Amino acid sequence: SGEADLDAPSGYTVAFDQSPINKSVVDAGDPTFTITGGETGATYTYEVTSSSTSEKATGTGTMTAADEEIAIPKADLSVFEDGDLLILSVTLEDAVGNLNSAPAKVGVAYDITPPTPTLATETPFSTSQNPIRISVSFTETVSNVDANDFVTTNATVALVQTGVSQGPVVLFDVAPIAQDEVSITLPAGAVTDVGQNPSNVSNTLLF
């Protein structure tokens, strides 16, 4: 008779296949992770948690190879909040019941909501003022806001300063080129948030 199997699966690693998990990832399908160096026939159990909620996403299955790609239903991740750091823990139990008591763990950022910009001004919409000061408020932190990002009619745009107030508020000066209507918009995808989600289109200001 063969020797008894007393050793639990060990030495395996886990990694998310997408990082961060953002809107483009969930639009494409369910996020996945890969177990590397596991044990064929072992039962895997995964648990996804975050510090923002006591809710969890869990699943279990049987490994068909030593390296296995596993999908996490994106609906299961909807219990988490934008900006969360998700922690994935995976345990393996072999066919005779030896359970690894030290799960493999990995983290990933979770952000599936694109930032939305809002253009505003205290300048009257019928004005001869030059330049016209406008503010751009975002629903969350973004990066690389630039004057060249705007779509304008009959105007040029210059960056004034940046600050932070419920997501960055960025100030620009809009300089009319001629005595005619001025319009300014921040198009979709002009900037990205920390989760690499492209921004939504802004409202349009007309002067």
Side-chain angles (χ1 to χ4, degrees):
S1 61
E3 293 183 3
D5 181 1
L6 302 177
D7 296 324
S10 63
Y12 62 93
T13 61
V14 295
F16 279 101
D17 300 317
Q18 305 85 17
S19 181
I21 296 176
N22 57 19
K23 186 176 186 298
S24 65
V25 171
V26 298
D27 283 350
D30 293 329
T32 60
F33 67 91
T34 295
I35 302 173
T36 302
E39 185 175 315
T40 301
T43 298
Y44 66 81
T45 300
Y46 72 80
E47 179 179 273
V48 182
T49 59
S50 84
S51 60
S52 70
T53 177
S54 60
E55 299 284 349
K56 300 177 181 179
T58 61
T60 188
T62 301
M63 296 195 66
T64 58
D67 300 338
E68 186 99 5
E69 181 183 287
I70 298 157
I72 304 175
K74 58 187 176 182
D76 291 356
L77 299 180
S78 64
V79 298
F80 302 112
E81 297 180 3
D82 261 24
D84 277 355
L85 175 65
L86 304 186
I87 302 299
L88 169 70
S89 301
V90 179
T91 57
L92 294 183
E93 182 178 354
D94 66 20
V96 296
N98 296 310
L99 176 65
N100 186 295
S101 59
K105 296 186 177 184
V106 67
V108 70
Y110 178 76
D111 183 349
I112 61 171
T113 303
T116 298
T118 300
L119 309 188
T121 183
E122 295 182 357
T123 302
F125 286 104
S126 177
T127 182
S128 59
Q129 182 173 327
N130 189 351
I132 303 165
R133 179 64 53 84
I134 70 166
S135 65
V136 187
S137 302
F138 292 90
T139 51
E140 57 181 304
T141 300
V142 298
S143 60
N144 301 323
V145 189
D146 188 83
N148 295 326
D149 294 328
F150 292 90
V151 173
T152 62
T153 301
N154 187 38
T156 60
V157 182
L159 176 66
V160 178
Q161 67 180 46
T162 61
V164 176
S165 177
Q166 297 180 353
V169 176
V170 189
L171 299 180
F172 293 88
D173 276 343
V174 180
I177 296 171
Q179 288 287 88
D180 203 350
E181 184 177 80
V182 170
S183 69
I184 181 167
T185 306
L186 193 63
V191 297
T192 57
D193 63 14
V194 294
Q196 301 173 20
N197 295 299
S199 57
N200 294 319
V201 64
S202 76
N203 58 310
T204 298
L205 294 181
L206 296 172
F207 300 94

